[in-house]
Every structure is written in structure tokens, then in C-alpha cells.
């Protein structure tokens, strides 16, 4: 069972371990700290390859027709989430890493480990990992339950 309080208090490998992903995080950190250039597989040409979204919990909201969804998003080094929007607000926290949150309608926002963020409903955005490690973000959405959580552009 995941100790959600530990996740919020922890960062880096400790948070990954709390989510049962320590092996993944360790291998990602080892690969990221390897010296010299490395060959990239063909699928690495896709800027969103390797991005994972793990559903942590989903519950009906007190407001009829809405739901609350919480995910752990991991974005490998030099990768991005891709332009997308949500049918409700996103409230997030950077557990580990550095992200440039890019928007279609406003200047980008630089986020680092420990930074919270808020994205209004239906706002097109892209989270680009600009750091040296796999970024881990905790994102909570309050969204229209009749619509998909993510619309890509």
C-alpha cells in the first residue's frame, strides 16, 4: 500500500520507492549520470516517448458531474508531455526535476523540485523536462466526469 503522506514529504528516489518504482528511478538516474554520449533508440526521436502517467486515485467530487483524479507523471530527461489540456483545473507539485511549463496563451513557467503549480481548465500546455534527471510531478485534477482527462493537440 502506498503511504501518500510519505510521497508528499519525500523527493527523488525515496518518493519513487514509495510508489514501487525504485528500480525504475535507479536505472534512470544511472543512465542520466553515465559519462559521454550514448546511442539513443529510434523511438527516442518522439519527444514524448518514455513519459508515464500513473493513476494514484480517482474519486467523485462533492460537485455533481465532476471527479477528482490524482496521477504521478514522470518525464525523462530531454522529453516533454506534449501539448494537451484538461476539462478542469490541474493542481500540481514538482517532486523531483526541472520543468519548463509552456502555454499557448502566456509566457512559460520554470518549475523546480518543491514548486507547486496551477493550470486553469482547458488551458493548452506542455511540460518540458529541462533538467538532468527524470522529472516526477504529482498532479491532481478536478474535471468534468463526462470528458476525457486529457485532450492532445
Amino acid at each position: 500500500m502506498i503511504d501518500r503522506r510519505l510521497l508528499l514529504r519525500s523527493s527523488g528516489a525515496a518518493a519513487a520507492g514509495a510508489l514501487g518504482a525504485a528500480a525504475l528511478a535507479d536505472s534512470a538516474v544511472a543512465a542520466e549520470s553515465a559519462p559521454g554520449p550514448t546511442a539513443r533508440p529510434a523511438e527516442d526521436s518522439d519527444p514524448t516517448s518514455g513519459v508515464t502517467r500513473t493513476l494514484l486515485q480517482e474519486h467523485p467530487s462533492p460537485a455533481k458531474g465532476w471527479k477528482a483524479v490524482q496521477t504521478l507523471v514522470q518525464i525523462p530527461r530531454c522529453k516533454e508531455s506534449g501539448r494537451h489540456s484538461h476539462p478542469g483545473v490541474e493542481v500540481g507539485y514538482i517532486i523531483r526535476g526541472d520543468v519548463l511549463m509552456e502555454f499557448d496563451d502566456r509566457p512559460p513557467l520554470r518549475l523546480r523540485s518543491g514548486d507547486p503549480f496551477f493550470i486553469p481548465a482547458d488551458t493548452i500546455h506542455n511540460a518540458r523536462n529541462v533538467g538532468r534527471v527524470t522529472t516526477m510531478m504529482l498532479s491532481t485534477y478536478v474535471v468534468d466526469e463526462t470528458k476525457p482527462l486529457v485532450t492532445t493537440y
Side-chain angles (χ1 to χ4, degrees), residues 55-126:
L55 177 65
L56 299 177
Q57 58 181 328
E58 183 172 357
H59 301 282
S61 169
K64 185 175 170 80
W66 293 81
K67 65 181 176 180
V69 179
Q70 190 170 58
T71 65
L72 176 69
V73 180
Q74 295 187 70
I75 304 174
R77 200 172 124 223
C78 301
K79 296 295 180 175
E80 60 191 65
S81 64
R83 291 176 64 244
H84 65 282
S85 66
H86 308 284
V89 299
E90 177 180 359
V91 180
Y93 179 80
I94 307 298
I95 297 169
R96 176 181 71 192
D98 296 290
V99 171
L100 187 64
M101 195 68 72
E102 301 166 325
F103 303 94
D104 282 7
D105 64 347
R106 67 191 79 174
L109 179 63
R110 178 72 185 255
L111 300 165
R112 294 177 174 84
S113 296
D115 285 344
F117 62 92
F118 179 86
I119 300 175
D122 302 311
T123 299
I124 298 173
H125 59 287
N126 177 48

Side-chain angles (χ1 to χ4, degrees), residues 25 28-29 32 74-77 96-97 129 132-136:
V29 169
E32 290 161 355
Q74 295 187 70
I75 304 174
R77 200 172 124 223
R96 176 181 71 192
N129 183 340
R132 299 177 61 150
V133 299
T134 296
T135 293
M136 293 176 65

